[in-house]
Amino acid sequence: MNKKCKTSAAAFEALHKESGMSRRDALKVMGLTGGASMMLGAPTSAEAGPSSDKKVKVVVVGGGAGGIMALVRLKRGLPNAEFTIIAPNDIHLYQPGQVFIAAGLYQHSDVVKPNSDFIDSDVNWIKDEVASFDPDNNKVVTRGGKEVGYDYMVVATGIVYHYEWIKGLTKEDIGTNGISSVYLSDLEKGTTHGAEVTWKWFNELKAAAASGKKPTAIYTQPATPIKCGGAPQKILYLSADHLKKEGLGANYIFATNGGKLFSLPTIAKSLEHVQKQYDTISNKFKHNLIAMDVPNKVATFEETYQVKGEYDEDLQEYDMITKKREVEIKYDFIHVVPPMSPPKAVVESKLGWQKGSAKGWLEVDQYTLQHRRYANVFGIGDVMGIPKGKTGGSARHHGPIVAENLINVINGEKPTAKFDGYTVCPLKTDYGHIIMAEFNYDGLAPTIPFLDPAKPRWIWWAFDLYMLKPMYWYLMMRGLM
């Protein structure tokens, strides 16, 4: 058996063991999702990509999924390079698992591993975070004041949550007064407090519904880009199903700054049908949460709406005027998704977009993931200011693109690998079914074309709950897929 086959066999055994599924069931799920062919030795992008024996200094900033995926692939293609990773987190958090903790199906221990499992001992690991970037001089400065130079850099800093941007709300309020937020976590310390609080919140909501009076529960989605854009609706449907199993219901309100349930019409239409299987769900579109009266349980939204203006004789239609107003909604329970942004160090550096809707986000080409002004800098993961791709599944697709293009640049060649915008959002519609929304810059992009991507399916639930986590630990984080 060759080395690659041995690696694939060992990886499958790890998947089988950690998923808890039988070998037969594991193979069935993997076969349907395309995993079996990969395990049997199909070459990965990293194995087929370029390499260089040049002695260069490569710095990776960030120790989450994107940073690790980039690091392991680059190490494979740059055997003589000197690698440094700047990451404060000793613990690696499997972030997609936080929704399953919130649903009572995982525990904290299920989603954490030591980051040392993924960072080789020959990598210079600086356990700190970057406080400032100086791309003109090819260096960064850490929070502790250490200057680190580089020839090439991969920025994988991730995304920052801003509960403080909601007037009247603090992080300390999460878990009190009917407030939850699955996102609340400390990535540096590897905590999942928000997910644990949300599972408690599920059960408090159920207890309130069982008391005889229907509670009002609000689920918010902010005006900024967010990590995993489907998460607000996942919490909505899972908590509604949690009540439905006991014959209970609530007055559910989905308040989003967006104008529809999903950007793709076929997925949005399917979600409309999903909502009909639960008690009353009211969609408040163009509603952005801006303030909360925590003691009195009142949420204030800024609603954007349009009114008719003057009639245009040439176009034979009315001009539409956009206006804003504040709307107060009383609630018993509220799940808050905070506004999000890149880290301050990126926003305040020359690396971020300088204007437009992407201002502050890492300014990379949406296809090559190379910085548009600093050719020796690449991005990966949530920090990038590109139209799609703020999911873990996207980061997996970013990894081989970044590795191939950075190595090409080291070799004096142009970056040729292209990221197609692949994004995946496993929309949990109840306990047992998922709509696997896969799309790219051009629209729907299902991995398995013969399956209707808008239909909720048990197979995707089984894949997400049982298989994806071990695949993440043993394959994705090791650059094997």
Side-chain angles (χ1 to χ4, degrees):
M1 183 181 292
N2 63 37
K3 183 177 180 180
K4 185 164 65 177
C5 289
K6 288 181 180 178
T7 301
S8 298
F12 173 73
E13 286 304 317
L15 289 171
H16 153 64
K17 181 178 180 181
E18 182 153 330
S19 70
M21 301 178 79
S22 69
R23 283 181 173 82
R24 181 187 296 273
D25 288 344
L27 281 169
K28 181 179 178 181
V29 172
M30 288 173 56
L32 183 54
T33 59
S37 62
M38 177 275 299
M39 292 292 243
L40 293 173
T44 67
S45 297
E47 292 169 325
S51 63
S52 175
D53 60 2
K54 292 185 178 180
K55 295 181 179 180
V56 294
K57 292 182 179 179
V58 180
V59 168
V60 176
V61 181
I68 300 297
M69 289 181 197
L71 177 64
V72 296
R73 287 178 177 272
L74 286 168
K75 282 192 86 259
R76 189 177 298 146
L78 298 169
N80 295 323
E82 177 186 321
F83 286 94
T84 296
I85 185 168
I86 304 173
N89 53 313
D90 279 312
I91 296 173
H92 191 96
L93 181 65
Y94 173 63
Q95 294 185 64
Q98 289 176 255
V99 170
F100 282 127
I101 293 176
L105 299 171
Y106 281 0
Q107 296 182 347
H108 173 77
S109 59
D110 294 321
V111 300
V112 293
K113 284 188 181 295
N115 229 1
S116 56
D117 284 3
F118 313 110
I119 301 174
D120 291 342
S121 59
D122 61 346
V123 173
N124 177 29
W125 181 5
I126 300 174
K127 295 184 180 181
D128 203 343
E129 69 176 5
V130 168
S132 64
F133 292 89
D134 184 0
D136 289 327
N137 295 297
N138 293 330
K139 67 178 183 180
V140 299
V141 180
T142 70
R143 187 171 53 188
K146 184 179 180 64
E147 289 191 1
V148 183
Y150 60 85
D151 297 313
Y152 300 89
M153 177 172 65
V154 177
V155 180
T157 55
I159 206 166
V160 177
Y161 309 142
H162 293 287
Y163 291 94
E164 74 279 5
W165 290 3
I166 302 169
K167 184 179 179 181
L169 180 69
T170 67
K171 288 182 181 179
E172 290 69 32
D173 292 319
I174 307 300
T176 71
N177 290 286
I179 304 170
S180 76
S181 177
V182 71
Y183 282 94
L184 182 62
S185 59
D186 187 326
L187 297 182
E188 182 171 343
K189 296 178 181 178
T191 64
T192 54
H193 179 62
E196 294 150 18
V197 161
T198 303
W199 172 233
K200 180 182 177 184
W201 183 89
F202 271 35
N203 289 296
E204 289 174 345
L205 176 61
K206 183 169 71 172
S211 68
K213 180 182 178 182
K214 281 189 179 180
T216 295
I218 302 177
Y219 305 76
T220 74
Q221 184 158 346
T224 66
I226 64 172
K227 178 195 296 287
C228 187
Q233 288 188 71
K234 296 177 190 180
I235 298 300
L236 166 60
Y237 305 137
L238 287 173
S239 61
D241 194 44
H242 187 59
L243 270 63
K244 183 180 178 182
K245 290 179 184 301
E246 302 295 329
L248 303 171
N251 297 313
Y252 305 107
I253 298 173
F254 177 52
T256 173
N257 188 68
K260 46 194 170 185
L261 291 176
F262 205 82
S263 59
L264 299 170
T266 53
I267 303 297
K269 186 176 181 179
S270 182
L271 290 172
E272 291 173 5
H273 289 295
V274 167
Q275 289 193 348
K276 292 176 182 177
Q277 72 189 40
Y278 297 115
D279 208 345
T280 307
I281 297 179
S282 301
N283 296 309
K284 301 289 186 181
F285 296 120
K286 298 297 182 179
H287 279 62
N288 180 40
L289 180 65
I290 59 172
M292 289 177 62
D293 181 343
V294 172
N296 293 307
K297 295 188 173 182
V298 178
T300 301
F301 296 86
E302 182 180 71
E303 180 189 8
T304 303
Y305 65 102
Q306 291 187 320
V307 296
K308 286 183 179 179
E310 295 183 358
Y311 186 76
D312 189 313
E313 294 288 350
D314 294 328
L315 297 177
Q316 295 187 347
E317 62 182 28
Y318 286 95
D319 293 330
M320 299 304 294
I321 301 172
T322 299
K323 292 190 173 184
K324 295 181 184 292
R325 62 187 170 201
E326 292 188 2
V327 177
E328 292 186 349
I329 303 178
K330 290 187 65 66
Y331 63 85
D332 299 296
F333 296 88
I334 186 169
H335 179 268
V336 176
V337 176
M340 303 182 193
S341 80
K344 181 180 179 182
V346 175
V347 174
E348 295 182 347
S349 75
K350 292 183 178 181
L351 295 175
W353 285 93
Q354 303 302 302
K355 59 183 179 180
S357 60
K359 185 176 180 180
W361 297 89
L362 190 69
E363 186 183 347
V364 298
D365 181 89
Q366 70 181 65
Y367 300 106
T368 66
L369 309 185
Q370 181 186 37
H371 199 277
R372 288 162 53 91
R373 289 175 285 113
Y374 297 95
N376 62 336
V377 176
F378 285 79
I380 188 170
D382 298 338
V383 71
M384 295 189 296
I386 61 177
K388 309 285 184 187
K390 289 185 178 8
T391 70
S394 300
R396 181 175 73 84
H397 284 243
H398 298 157
I401 304 296
V402 168
E404 182 173 337
N405 284 340
L406 192 151
I407 293 171
N408 279 338
V409 171
I410 290 174
N411 287 331
E413 301 168 1
K414 291 184 177 181
T416 56
K418 304 291 186 182
F419 173 58
D420 65 359
Y422 178 83
T423 306
V424 57
C425 184
L427 289 157
K428 299 161 180 64
T429 58
D430 59 42
Y431 281 79
H433 294 88
I434 280 175
I435 294 174
M436 190 63 77
E438 296 177 279
F439 50 99
N440 57 25
Y441 293 139
D442 297 325
L444 283 170
T447 299
I448 305 176
F450 60 81
L451 291 182
D452 180 357
K455 182 178 179 179
R457 295 181 185 277
W458 171 85
I459 192 69
W460 294 130
W461 175 269
F463 174 73
D464 199 13
L465 180 61
Y466 299 112
M467 298 301 299
L468 187 57
K469 179 165 63 77
M471 289 174 72
Y472 176 89
W473 292 134
Y474 299 108
L475 298 175
M476 298 180 200
M477 296 301 291
R478 288 168 170 78
L480 297 175
M481 70 173 294

